[in-house]
Amino acid sequence: MEFAFLAVTAFLAGLIDAVAGGGGLVQLPAMFSAYPGLSPATLVGTGKVASLAGTANAALRYGRRVRIYWDATLPAMVSAFAFSMAGAYALTLIPAGPLRKSLPFILVILLVYTVAKKNLGAEHAPSLSGGKERAAALLAGAAIGFYDGVFGPGTGSFLMIVFVRVFGYDFLHASASTKVVNLATNLAALLLLAAKGHVWWQLGLVMALANVAGSQVGSRLALKHGSGFVRRVFIVVVTALIAKTAWDAFSR
């Protein structure tokens, strides 16, 4: 019964992640609910199996249809990989409680900014180049990569707003780059947690199949309806994430 329940949530997480990021806020709480006796590191590690599969599928679909701007995406990907592995190692040593409590406040700022800037992400106009672009990508990848390794939910939403606000991408191109960087963070965290024995492979593989199915649906919708659709879904997802993270952090 728990496997079936988590397969459904993994499908929804894959769909949401493929469009706007934030699927981890569906998937990870469901895993904590289904298996409260497992260690947080094992739950996160098992969830990474599903997230990696879905993100890889979405990255491939976007890569075939949307140009990926590697000058920013590649440095962010490299630093995100390294710092996600560091974050996953930290997860095995420290509690994630303080980070969980700060997340809703960070998301509120992100939502207010996105809603206030009505033209944000409507046009694709890259705003950085050369050394400044690489430095910004390395810094953003490091910060968000560490967060994804140590906790994770909302990583795709944070990456989206960085590529839109800092690099000047529209929401569709930002979503494509987000999938590539998120692929690196998921892989790094999974490698570290698997090496430490924090992956339940049977459950992870069931959820991976469901996550890929959801990712197929989500990426198809995003590619069909474009940046405006991705922006609207992004706002809805972030609003839901604020409510969910606030409830998890302060009411339970």
Side-chain angles (χ1 to χ4, degrees):
M1 183 64 72
E2 286 83 1
F3 273 40
F5 166 66
L6 291 176
V8 172
T9 59
F11 176 87
L12 294 174
L15 191 156
I16 294 167
D17 256 337
V19 178
L25 265 295
V26 175
Q27 183 169 280
L28 192 59
M31 296 182 70
F32 273 93
S33 175
Y35 294 103
L38 287 182
S39 73
T42 300
L43 291 170
V44 171
T46 303
K48 290 297 181 186
V49 179
S51 297
L52 177 65
T55 305
N57 175 75
L60 287 172
R61 289 184 65 85
Y62 276 102
R64 288 196 292 263
R65 298 279 299 276
V66 179
R67 178 183 174 184
I68 295 175
Y69 289 80
W70 291 104
D71 287 349
T73 305
L74 185 59
M77 185 180 179
V78 171
S79 66
F81 181 93
F83 279 85
S84 178
M85 189 168 286
Y89 179 73
L91 173 65
T92 66
L93 303 175
I94 61 174
L99 189 59
R100 185 179 290 111
K101 290 183 183 297
S102 68
L103 184 57
F105 300 102
I106 297 170
L107 288 169
V108 166
I109 295 171
L110 185 154
L111 176 64
V112 169
Y113 184 84
T114 303
V115 172
K117 299 284 186 177
K118 296 187 182 301
N119 293 323
L120 184 70
E123 296 182 1
H124 186 68
S127 56
L128 295 176
S129 61
K132 289 183 178 180
E133 182 178 39
R134 287 189 293 273
L138 288 168
L139 181 61
I144 298 175
F146 185 84
Y147 167 77
D148 193 32
V150 78
F151 188 43
T155 295
S157 298
F158 289 127
L159 286 169
M160 283 276 285
I161 202 64
V162 165
F163 277 104
V164 170
R165 177 63 185 89
V166 177
F167 298 108
Y169 292 12
D170 65 20
F171 271 97
L172 188 61
H173 286 86
S175 190
S177 290
T178 289
K179 300 302 169 288
V180 174
V181 178
N182 208 176
L183 179 64
T185 65
N186 285 329
L187 177 60
L190 177 59
L191 289 173
L192 190 286
L193 293 170
K196 288 187 166 291
H198 287 295
V199 176
W200 184 2
W201 289 103
Q202 294 92 326
L203 175 60
L205 292 173
V206 169
M207 293 179 66
L209 292 174
N211 198 289
V212 168
S215 175
Q216 290 273 12
V217 175
S219 55
R220 188 178 294 117
L221 287 171
L223 290 168
K224 179 179 179 180
H225 296 290
S227 289
F229 172 76
V230 177
R231 183 182 190 274
R232 290 191 296 273
V233 174
F234 177 78
I235 290 172
V236 171
V237 168
V238 172
T239 302
L241 295 186
I242 291 168
K244 185 68 176 70
T245 54
W247 173 261
D248 288 342
F250 299 107
S251 299
R252 298 178 61 182

